[in-house]
Amino acid sequence: SAVISQKPSRDICQRGTSLTIQCQVDSQVTMMFWYRQQPGQSLTLIATANQGSEATYESGFVIDKFPISRPNLTFSTLTVSNMSPEDSSIYLCSVERSDDFQETQYFGPGTRLLVL
Amino acid sequence: QKEVEQNSGPLSVPEGAIASLNCTYSDRVSQSFFWYRQYSGKSPELIMSIYSNGDKEDGRFTAQLNKASQYVSLLIRDSQPSDSATYLCAVNDGIFNKFYFGSGTKLNVKP
């Protein structure tokens, strides 16, 4: 498995501001992922972050709104920019590890964001 | 559009019974299948993975995979109130190494 931490664990933010979420993993990983989980919903992939290259965004998510950094193999940040109440959600980072020669994803504890 | 379908529930079972959770997926080339448990307010926690047709057992949990029917299930034997959670089915597409998640089934185990 993997030991993953996220900061902050929760925050309440004002409309129009930005929040940067940090994700730290206990050992080097190639692939890190950022998901959003809105209340009562399943997980939606925002983007995939590989070290040394630009993040790959899923349909409906753009870099200007969700800029991502991946400065090394154990760390990534996701910024939620110019927030609106619709951005209220849980934001999760995950990492990929090989278990039994298959790629498996493990999740951090999540960041609970409320935008007023 | 790759889809992973789950019955949203809630599925209610009495303590000690077998809980059966089901998942279907649309993409025939999918290679790896996962069950995650998510307690309210917490992040998903991996319970089991399965890659080959048939059954895979781990303690009280058994995952079943039928690739021909594009169907994967999770059985929880001797269900406990602590098993009450939302169970997410996930599929790795096997090409782009991307995970697709179902909407989850909420399980209630009644004491």
Side-chain angles (χ1 to χ4, degrees), chain B residues 65-89:
Chain B
L65 175 61
N66 184 326
K67 290 186 178 181
S69 299
Q70 296 175 235
Y71 176 90
V72 59
S73 66
L74 179 70
L75 301 178
I76 306 175
R77 289 182 300 280
D78 188 23
S79 295
Q80 301 296 310
S82 58
D83 295 325
S84 298
T86 297
Y87 289 80
L88 300 169
C89 172

PDB file of all heavy atoms in Angstrom, chain B residues 65-89:
ATOM      1  N   LEU B  65     -15.363 -12.698 -10.318  1.00  0.00           N
ATOM      2  CA  LEU B  65     -15.229 -12.027 -11.603  1.00  0.00           C
ATOM      3  C   LEU B  65     -15.679 -12.950 -12.712  1.00  0.00           C
ATOM      4  O   LEU B  65     -15.276 -14.116 -12.770  1.00  0.00           O
ATOM      5  CB  LEU B  65     -13.776 -11.604 -11.843  1.00  0.00           C
ATOM      6  CG  LEU B  65     -13.450 -10.994 -13.198  1.00  0.00           C
ATOM      7  CD1 LEU B  65     -14.239  -9.706 -13.433  1.00  0.00           C
ATOM      8  CD2 LEU B  65     -11.945 -10.723 -13.317  1.00  0.00           C
ATOM      9  N   ASN B  66     -16.495 -12.425 -13.597  1.00  0.00           N
ATOM     10  CA  ASN B  66     -16.928 -13.131 -14.793  1.00  0.00           C
ATOM     11  C   ASN B  66     -16.745 -12.175 -15.970  1.00  0.00           C
ATOM     12  O   ASN B  66     -17.593 -11.317 -16.222  1.00  0.00           O
ATOM     13  CB  ASN B  66     -18.392 -13.570 -14.662  1.00  0.00           C
ATOM     14  CG  ASN B  66     -18.857 -14.405 -15.842  1.00  0.00           C
ATOM     15  OD1 ASN B  66     -18.434 -14.192 -16.972  1.00  0.00           O
ATOM     16  ND2 ASN B  66     -19.732 -15.356 -15.582  1.00  0.00           N
ATOM     17  N   LYS B  67     -15.628 -12.298 -16.652  1.00  0.00           N
ATOM     18  CA  LYS B  67     -15.327 -11.366 -17.738  1.00  0.00           C
ATOM     19  C   LYS B  67     -16.270 -11.537 -18.924  1.00  0.00           C
ATOM     20  O   LYS B  67     -16.571 -10.567 -19.618  1.00  0.00           O
ATOM     21  CB  LYS B  67     -13.878 -11.524 -18.192  1.00  0.00           C
ATOM     22  CG  LYS B  67     -12.867 -11.027 -17.171  1.00  0.00           C
ATOM     23  CD  LYS B  67     -11.461 -11.068 -17.747  1.00  0.00           C
ATOM     24  CE  LYS B  67     -10.460 -10.522 -16.737  1.00  0.00           C
ATOM     25  NZ  LYS B  67      -9.069 -10.533 -17.279  1.00  0.00           N
ATOM     26  N   ALA B  68     -16.733 -12.754 -19.167  1.00  0.00           N
ATOM     27  CA  ALA B  68     -17.655 -12.976 -20.289  1.00  0.00           C
ATOM     28  C   ALA B  68     -18.955 -12.211 -20.076  1.00  0.00           C
ATOM     29  O   ALA B  68     -19.531 -11.653 -21.011  1.00  0.00           O
ATOM     30  CB  ALA B  68     -17.929 -14.465 -20.456  1.00  0.00           C
ATOM     31  N   SER B  69     -19.403 -12.158 -18.838  1.00  0.00           N
ATOM     32  CA  SER B  69     -20.638 -11.442 -18.510  1.00  0.00           C
ATOM     33  C   SER B  69     -20.364 -10.008 -18.083  1.00  0.00           C
ATOM     34  O   SER B  69     -21.314  -9.255 -17.801  1.00  0.00           O
ATOM     35  CB  SER B  69     -21.392 -12.169 -17.388  1.00  0.00           C
ATOM     36  OG  SER B  69     -21.739 -13.478 -17.786  1.00  0.00           O
ATOM     37  N   GLN B  70     -19.086  -9.616 -18.000  1.00  0.00           N
ATOM     38  CA  GLN B  70     -18.691  -8.269 -17.601  1.00  0.00           C
ATOM     39  C   GLN B  70     -19.305  -7.917 -16.258  1.00  0.00           C
ATOM     40  O   GLN B  70     -19.969  -6.873 -16.106  1.00  0.00           O
ATOM     41  CB  GLN B  70     -19.063  -7.261 -18.702  1.00  0.00           C
ATOM     42  CG  GLN B  70     -18.286  -7.526 -19.979  1.00  0.00           C
ATOM     43  CD  GLN B  70     -18.715  -6.632 -21.129  1.00  0.00           C
ATOM     44  OE1 GLN B  70     -19.065  -7.099 -22.201  1.00  0.00           O
ATOM     45  NE2 GLN B  70     -18.681  -5.344 -20.903  1.00  0.00           N
ATOM     46  N   TYR B  71     -19.026  -8.783 -15.316  1.00  0.00           N
ATOM     47  CA  TYR B  71     -19.686  -8.727 -14.015  1.00  0.00           C
ATOM     48  C   TYR B  71     -18.667  -9.040 -12.933  1.00  0.00           C
ATOM     49  O   TYR B  71     -17.876  -9.974 -13.054  1.00  0.00           O
ATOM     50  CB  TYR B  71     -20.802  -9.782 -14.035  1.00  0.00           C
ATOM     51  CG  TYR B  71     -21.568  -9.975 -12.772  1.00  0.00           C
ATOM     52  CD1 TYR B  71     -22.725  -9.239 -12.516  1.00  0.00           C
ATOM     53  CD2 TYR B  71     -21.179 -10.926 -11.838  1.00  0.00           C
ATOM     54  CE1 TYR B  71     -23.458  -9.442 -11.366  1.00  0.00           C
ATOM     55  CE2 TYR B  71     -21.908 -11.137 -10.683  1.00  0.00           C
ATOM     56  CZ  TYR B  71     -23.054 -10.395 -10.460  1.00  0.00           C
ATOM     57  OH  TYR B  71     -23.774 -10.599  -9.319  1.00  0.00           O
ATOM     58  N   VAL B  72     -18.683  -8.207 -11.880  1.00  0.00           N
ATOM     59  CA  VAL B  72     -17.823  -8.469 -10.738  1.00  0.00           C
ATOM     60  C   VAL B  72     -18.657  -8.251  -9.487  1.00  0.00           C
ATOM     61  O   VAL B  72     -19.499  -7.347  -9.443  1.00  0.00           O
ATOM     62  CB  VAL B  72     -16.567  -7.561 -10.767  1.00  0.00           C
ATOM     63  CG1 VAL B  72     -16.920  -6.092 -10.767  1.00  0.00           C
ATOM     64  CG2 VAL B  72     -15.623  -7.889  -9.632  1.00  0.00           C
ATOM     65  N   SER B  73     -18.435  -9.097  -8.490  1.00  0.00           N
ATOM     66  CA  SER B  73     -19.231  -8.982  -7.262  1.00  0.00           C
ATOM     67  C   SER B  73     -18.338  -9.097  -6.040  1.00  0.00           C
ATOM     68  O   SER B  73     -17.194  -9.550  -6.122  1.00  0.00           O
ATOM     69  CB  SER B  73     -20.329 -10.046  -7.232  1.00  0.00           C
ATOM     70  OG  SER B  73     -19.751 -11.328  -7.149  1.00  0.00           O
ATOM     71  N   LEU B  74     -18.872  -8.673  -4.928  1.00  0.00           N
ATOM     72  CA  LEU B  74     -18.192  -8.782  -3.634  1.00  0.00           C
ATOM     73  C   LEU B  74     -19.160  -9.395  -2.654  1.00  0.00           C
ATOM     74  O   LEU B  74     -20.274  -8.882  -2.477  1.00  0.00           O
ATOM     75  CB  LEU B  74     -17.734  -7.412  -3.139  1.00  0.00           C
ATOM     76  CG  LEU B  74     -17.025  -7.402  -1.781  1.00  0.00           C
ATOM     77  CD1 LEU B  74     -15.643  -8.056  -1.898  1.00  0.00           C
ATOM     78  CD2 LEU B  74     -16.879  -5.971  -1.236  1.00  0.00           C
ATOM     79  N   LEU B  75     -18.744 -10.494  -2.036  1.00  0.00           N
ATOM     80  CA  LEU B  75     -19.534 -11.118  -0.986  1.00  0.00           C
ATOM     81  C   LEU B  75     -18.860 -10.853   0.355  1.00  0.00           C
ATOM     82  O   LEU B  75     -17.644 -11.005   0.475  1.00  0.00           O
ATOM     83  CB  LEU B  75     -19.638 -12.631  -1.207  1.00  0.00           C
ATOM     84  CG  LEU B  75     -20.268 -13.101  -2.516  1.00  0.00           C
ATOM     85  CD1 LEU B  75     -20.250 -14.620  -2.594  1.00  0.00           C
ATOM     86  CD2 LEU B  75     -21.684 -12.577  -2.644  1.00  0.00           C
ATOM     87  N   ILE B  76     -19.664 -10.462   1.310  1.00  0.00           N
ATOM     88  CA  ILE B  76     -19.159 -10.257   2.666  1.00  0.00           C
ATOM     89  C   ILE B  76     -19.882 -11.250   3.568  1.00  0.00           C
ATOM     90  O   ILE B  76     -21.106 -11.156   3.760  1.00  0.00           O
ATOM     91  CB  ILE B  76     -19.406  -8.816   3.162  1.00  0.00           C
ATOM     92  CG1 ILE B  76     -18.835  -7.803   2.175  1.00  0.00           C
ATOM     93  CG2 ILE B  76     -18.782  -8.616   4.538  1.00  0.00           C
ATOM     94  CD1 ILE B  76     -19.151  -6.348   2.535  1.00  0.00           C
ATOM     95  N   ARG B  77     -19.136 -12.213   4.074  1.00  0.00           N
ATOM     96  CA  ARG B  77     -19.735 -13.221   4.962  1.00  0.00           C
ATOM     97  C   ARG B  77     -19.738 -12.712   6.394  1.00  0.00           C
ATOM     98  O   ARG B  77     -18.919 -11.868   6.779  1.00  0.00           O
ATOM     99  CB  ARG B  77     -18.924 -14.516   4.889  1.00  0.00           C
ATOM    100  CG  ARG B  77     -19.067 -15.260   3.575  1.00  0.00           C
ATOM    101  CD  ARG B  77     -18.274 -16.565   3.604  1.00  0.00           C
ATOM    102  NE  ARG B  77     -16.845 -16.315   3.827  1.00  0.00           N
ATOM    103  CZ  ARG B  77     -16.029 -15.927   2.872  1.00  0.00           C
ATOM    104  NH1 ARG B  77     -16.481 -15.746   1.643  1.00  0.00           N
ATOM    105  NH2 ARG B  77     -14.751 -15.720   3.142  1.00  0.00           N
ATOM    106  N   ASP B  78     -20.690 -13.254   7.181  1.00  0.00           N
ATOM    107  CA  ASP B  78     -20.779 -12.883   8.594  1.00  0.00           C
ATOM    108  C   ASP B  78     -20.712 -11.355   8.740  1.00  0.00           C
ATOM    109  O   ASP B  78     -19.864 -10.809   9.451  1.00  0.00           O
ATOM    110  CB  ASP B  78     -19.640 -13.544   9.384  1.00  0.00           C
ATOM    111  CG  ASP B  78     -19.778 -13.363  10.884  1.00  0.00           C
ATOM    112  OD1 ASP B  78     -20.906 -13.136  11.349  1.00  0.00           O
ATOM    113  OD2 ASP B  78     -18.738 -13.412  11.571  1.00  0.00           O
ATOM    114  N   SER B  79     -21.595 -10.675   8.052  1.00  0.00           N
ATOM    115  CA  SER B  79     -21.586  -9.209   8.038  1.00  0.00           C
ATOM    116  C   SER B  79     -21.675  -8.648   9.453  1.00  0.00           C
ATOM    117  O   SER B  79     -22.429  -9.150  10.299  1.00  0.00           O
ATOM    118  CB  SER B  79     -22.769  -8.688   7.212  1.00  0.00           C
ATOM    119  OG  SER B  79     -22.639  -9.051   5.864  1.00  0.00           O
ATOM    120  N   GLN B  80     -20.918  -7.580   9.667  1.00  0.00           N
ATOM    121  CA  GLN B  80     -20.866  -6.913  10.956  1.00  0.00           C
ATOM    122  C   GLN B  80     -21.341  -5.463  10.801  1.00  0.00           C
ATOM    123  O   GLN B  80     -21.194  -4.865   9.721  1.00  0.00           O
ATOM    124  CB  GLN B  80     -19.445  -6.914  11.500  1.00  0.00           C
ATOM    125  CG  GLN B  80     -18.859  -8.307  11.675  1.00  0.00           C
ATOM    126  CD  GLN B  80     -19.623  -9.108  12.711  1.00  0.00           C
ATOM    127  OE1 GLN B  80     -19.855  -8.633  13.820  1.00  0.00           O
ATOM    128  NE2 GLN B  80     -20.035 -10.318  12.340  1.00  0.00           N
ATOM    129  N   PRO B  81     -21.875  -4.880  11.861  1.00  0.00           N
ATOM    130  CA  PRO B  81     -22.268  -3.461  11.764  1.00  0.00           C
ATOM    131  C   PRO B  81     -21.126  -2.571  11.289  1.00  0.00           C
ATOM    132  O   PRO B  81     -21.357  -1.565  10.605  1.00  0.00           O
ATOM    133  CB  PRO B  81     -22.699  -3.118  13.197  1.00  0.00           C
ATOM    134  CG  PRO B  81     -23.205  -4.415  13.742  1.00  0.00           C
ATOM    135  CD  PRO B  81     -22.296  -5.477  13.147  1.00  0.00           C
ATOM    136  N   SER B  82     -19.883  -2.954  11.609  1.00  0.00           N
ATOM    137  CA  SER B  82     -18.732  -2.165  11.170  1.00  0.00           C
ATOM    138  C   SER B  82     -18.508  -2.245   9.655  1.00  0.00           C
ATOM    139  O   SER B  82     -17.704  -1.481   9.112  1.00  0.00           O
ATOM    140  CB  SER B  82     -17.466  -2.627  11.889  1.00  0.00           C
ATOM    141  OG  SER B  82     -17.227  -3.995  11.642  1.00  0.00           O
ATOM    142  N   ASP B  83     -19.198  -3.165   8.987  1.00  0.00           N
ATOM    143  CA  ASP B  83     -19.111  -3.235   7.524  1.00  0.00           C
ATOM    144  C   ASP B  83     -20.017  -2.204   6.859  1.00  0.00           C
ATOM    145  O   ASP B  83     -19.972  -2.037   5.636  1.00  0.00           O
ATOM    146  CB  ASP B  83     -19.506  -4.625   7.018  1.00  0.00           C
ATOM    147  CG  ASP B  83     -18.539  -5.716   7.467  1.00  0.00           C
ATOM    148  OD1 ASP B  83     -17.320  -5.428   7.554  1.00  0.00           O
ATOM    149  OD2 ASP B  83     -19.004  -6.836   7.741  1.00  0.00           O
ATOM    150  N   SER B  84     -20.843  -1.546   7.635  1.00  0.00           N
ATOM    151  CA  SER B  84     -21.752  -0.537   7.077  1.00  0.00           C
ATOM    152  C   SER B  84     -20.929   0.606   6.482  1.00  0.00           C
ATOM    153  O   SER B  84     -20.180   1.283   7.194  1.00  0.00           O
ATOM    154  CB  SER B  84     -22.696  -0.012   8.161  1.00  0.00           C
ATOM    155  OG  SER B  84     -23.512  -1.043   8.669  1.00  0.00           O
ATOM    156  N   ALA B  85     -21.068   0.792   5.189  1.00  0.00           N
ATOM    157  CA  ALA B  85     -20.261   1.767   4.448  1.00  0.00           C
ATOM    158  C   ALA B  85     -20.771   1.785   3.010  1.00  0.00           C
ATOM    159  O   ALA B  85     -21.683   1.040   2.654  1.00  0.00           O
ATOM    160  CB  ALA B  85     -18.782   1.389   4.472  1.00  0.00           C
ATOM    161  N   THR B  86     -20.168   2.626   2.215  1.00  0.00           N
ATOM    162  CA  THR B  86     -20.419   2.609   0.773  1.00  0.00           C
ATOM    163  C   THR B  86     -19.290   1.848   0.096  1.00  0.00           C
ATOM    164  O   THR B  86     -18.118   2.095   0.393  1.00  0.00           O
ATOM    165  CB  THR B  86     -20.519   4.037   0.207  1.00  0.00           C
ATOM    166  OG1 THR B  86     -21.639   4.699   0.788  1.00  0.00           O
ATOM    167  CG2 THR B  86     -20.691   4.007  -1.310  1.00  0.00           C
ATOM    168  N   TYR B  87     -19.651   0.922  -0.782  1.00  0.00           N
ATOM    169  CA  TYR B  87     -18.668   0.087  -1.464  1.00  0.00           C
ATOM    170  C   TYR B  87     -18.593   0.514  -2.933  1.00  0.00           C
ATOM    171  O   TYR B  87     -19.591   0.513  -3.647  1.00  0.00           O
ATOM    172  CB  TYR B  87     -19.045  -1.387  -1.334  1.00  0.00           C
ATOM    173  CG  TYR B  87     -18.832  -1.862   0.076  1.00  0.00           C
ATOM    174  CD1 TYR B  87     -19.777  -1.589   1.073  1.00  0.00           C
ATOM    175  CD2 TYR B  87     -17.666  -2.531   0.451  1.00  0.00           C
ATOM    176  CE1 TYR B  87     -19.574  -1.991   2.386  1.00  0.00           C
ATOM    177  CE2 TYR B  87     -17.460  -2.938   1.763  1.00  0.00           C
ATOM    178  CZ  TYR B  87     -18.412  -2.654   2.714  1.00  0.00           C
ATOM    179  OH  TYR B  87     -18.212  -3.039   4.021  1.00  0.00           O
ATOM    180  N   LEU B  88     -17.398   0.899  -3.339  1.00  0.00           N
ATOM    181  CA  LEU B  88     -17.159   1.385  -4.691  1.00  0.00           C
ATOM    182  C   LEU B  88     -16.479   0.302  -5.524  1.00  0.00           C
ATOM    183  O   LEU B  88     -15.476  -0.277  -5.096  1.00  0.00           O
ATOM    184  CB  LEU B  88     -16.266   2.620  -4.671  1.00  0.00           C
ATOM    185  CG  LEU B  88     -16.786   3.839  -3.900  1.00  0.00           C
ATOM    186  CD1 LEU B  88     -15.687   4.874  -3.758  1.00  0.00           C
ATOM    187  CD2 LEU B  88     -17.969   4.444  -4.611  1.00  0.00           C
ATOM    188  N   CYS B  89     -17.024   0.071  -6.682  1.00  0.00           N
ATOM    189  CA  CYS B  89     -16.411  -0.833  -7.655  1.00  0.00           C
ATOM    190  C   CYS B  89     -15.566   0.010  -8.603  1.00  0.00           C
ATOM    191  O   CYS B  89     -16.004   1.103  -9.032  1.00  0.00           O
ATOM    192  CB  CYS B  89     -17.515  -1.560  -8.412  1.00  0.00           C
ATOM    193  SG  CYS B  89     -16.998  -2.563  -9.813  1.00  0.00           S
TER     194      CYS B  89
END
